[in-house]
Amino acid sequence: MPELPEVEATRLSFADRIAGGRILSASLGKPLRWPLGIAPQRLAGRTVQGVRRRGKYLLLDLDQGLLLLHLGMSGSLSFAPQLPAPGPHDHFELVTSRGTLRLNDPRRFGAVVWVAGEDAPQARKLLGGLGVEPLSDDFDLDAFHAALKARRAPIKQLLLAGDVVVGVGNIYASEALFLAGIRPTLSAARLSRPRAQKLQAAIREVLGRALAAGGTTLRNYSNAVGERGNFQFEAMVYGRAGQPCRVCGTPIKAIRQGQRATFFCPNCQKT
Ligand SMILES: [Zn+2]
């Protein structure tokens, strides 16, 4: 599933090249998670001014309104001057004067939604509940620690929920907790301020390293120009059940939390 680094790597791979492009046509395939919210032909003539990211949403700013794009479980984008004929899993296409942007999404949990502005009801519904951006200056230790103190959920599940800090999905939550030496099952409320600070730094480091590696490719993720991620080769715990910890040699343990697999080192992450 694409997480923050994959979405950001995708953004970086086409944002500069599509900016300034005039939309020539837009077309839809099978229904995605939410309807587009506008007749696709009404997008023709609009200009793509730039591409931003909020959480795992890409925001394509148009000269009128914006498109919110989410990759869901299995989505990926392609951008090129010309693309081959659409396949059965291509469900959205934007032909612009700068090139064609296409969403491939076999499981169709992704979405493209047009909104008039970021304060439109649908935009507020999708973006309003998102937590702070972990790579921005808004990720403040006092606020982070206060939010943790108010919650009894296991720290890893709180990170995944995305309402305190956004975009730290399953892989990066496991990796950040390892780096901070925190047991994923620990109640968030029990984290001291120094440990919250360690976790904050670890989240930034893990996401920064993942972004530098172009994200993680477990199955079929690639950015909009077809480059795969390499962070999976750097993972300390994720996907390494039974293998020796890269720090202390203890076998990495895998447990289930919620519906998700969690990986940790029982020695490096005692509490
Ligand atoms: Zn260890």
Side-chain angles (χ1 to χ4, degrees):
M1 184 186 317
E3 298 184 13
L4 187 152
E6 291 77 44
V7 177
E8 180 66 6
T10 296
R11 186 185 76 81
L12 292 170
S13 68
F14 80 101
D16 286 350
R17 296 197 295 142
I18 201 174
R22 214 170 77 91
I23 298 174
L24 305 174
S25 67
S27 52
L28 297 168
K30 289 197 186 125
L32 292 162
R33 184 161 181 191
W34 298 298
L36 180 61
I38 189 173
Q41 59 270 25
R42 286 189 56 206
L43 294 173
R46 303 275 65 84
T47 298
V48 181
Q49 297 182 319
V51 186
R52 292 176 290 143
R53 182 190 54 76
R54 179 73 179 98
K56 298 204 289 182
Y57 286 91
L58 290 175
L59 283 60
L60 275 72
D61 287 306
L62 310 180
D63 55 345
Q64 271 177 33
L66 64 156
L67 290 167
L68 308 179
L69 199 152
H70 197 288
L71 298 175
M73 306 279 287
S74 59
S76 61
L77 289 175
S78 306
F79 183 79
Q82 279 187 326
L83 291 171
H89 301 303
D90 293 327
H91 301 304
F92 178 77
E93 190 165 278
L94 206 59
V95 181
T96 79
S97 57
R98 295 280 170 98
T100 297
L101 182 70
R102 180 184 286 169
L103 174 66
N104 178 281
D105 188 358
R107 298 182 66 183
R108 292 193 282 129
F109 283 102
V112 184
V113 176
W114 182 85
V115 291
E118 280 175 77
D119 51 359
Q122 183 70 351
R124 291 199 349 215
K125 191 180 123 195
L126 299 178
L127 305 176
L130 299 179
V132 69
E133 286 287 335
L135 296 175
S136 78
D137 292 339
D138 299 339
F139 189 22
D140 167 76
L141 177 60
D142 290 331
F144 182 49
H145 188 222
L148 296 183
K149 284 216 93 67
R151 304 276 283 272
R152 287 209 199 125
I155 181 62
K156 177 172 174 251
Q157 276 159 284
L158 178 134
L159 292 177
L160 288 192
D163 55 342
V164 171
V165 54
V166 80
V168 189
N170 204 34
I171 299 169
Y172 304 117
S174 287
E175 292 295 313
L177 288 165
F178 173 81
L179 206 59
I182 296 167
R183 183 70 65 108
T185 50
L186 181 71
S187 163
R190 292 190 53 205
L191 248 80
S192 65
R193 188 183 158 92
R195 295 189 90 195
Q197 187 166 17
K198 257 189 157 169
L199 179 57
Q200 180 197 34
I203 289 169
R204 284 186 166 141
E205 184 178 334
V206 163
L207 292 177
R209 276 183 11 214
L211 189 55
T216 299
T217 296
L218 295 179
R219 281 189 281 277
N220 50 17
Y221 163 77
S222 58
N223 70 17
V225 293
E227 295 162 339
R228 293 164 71 85
N230 287 307
F231 184 75
Q232 64 276 14
F233 303 118
E234 291 180 34
M236 299 293 275
V237 289
Y238 187 85
R240 300 193 63 244
Q243 296 178 48
C245 171
R246 297 192 202 275
V247 172
C248 74
T250 305
I252 299 299
K253 242 182 125 165
I255 57 168
R256 301 295 289 182
Q257 278 186 294
Q259 302 302 312
R260 312 297 301 278
T262 293
F263 299 89
F264 67 97
C265 171
N267 182 47
C268 294
Q269 297 165 267
K270 283 203 174 75
T271 58

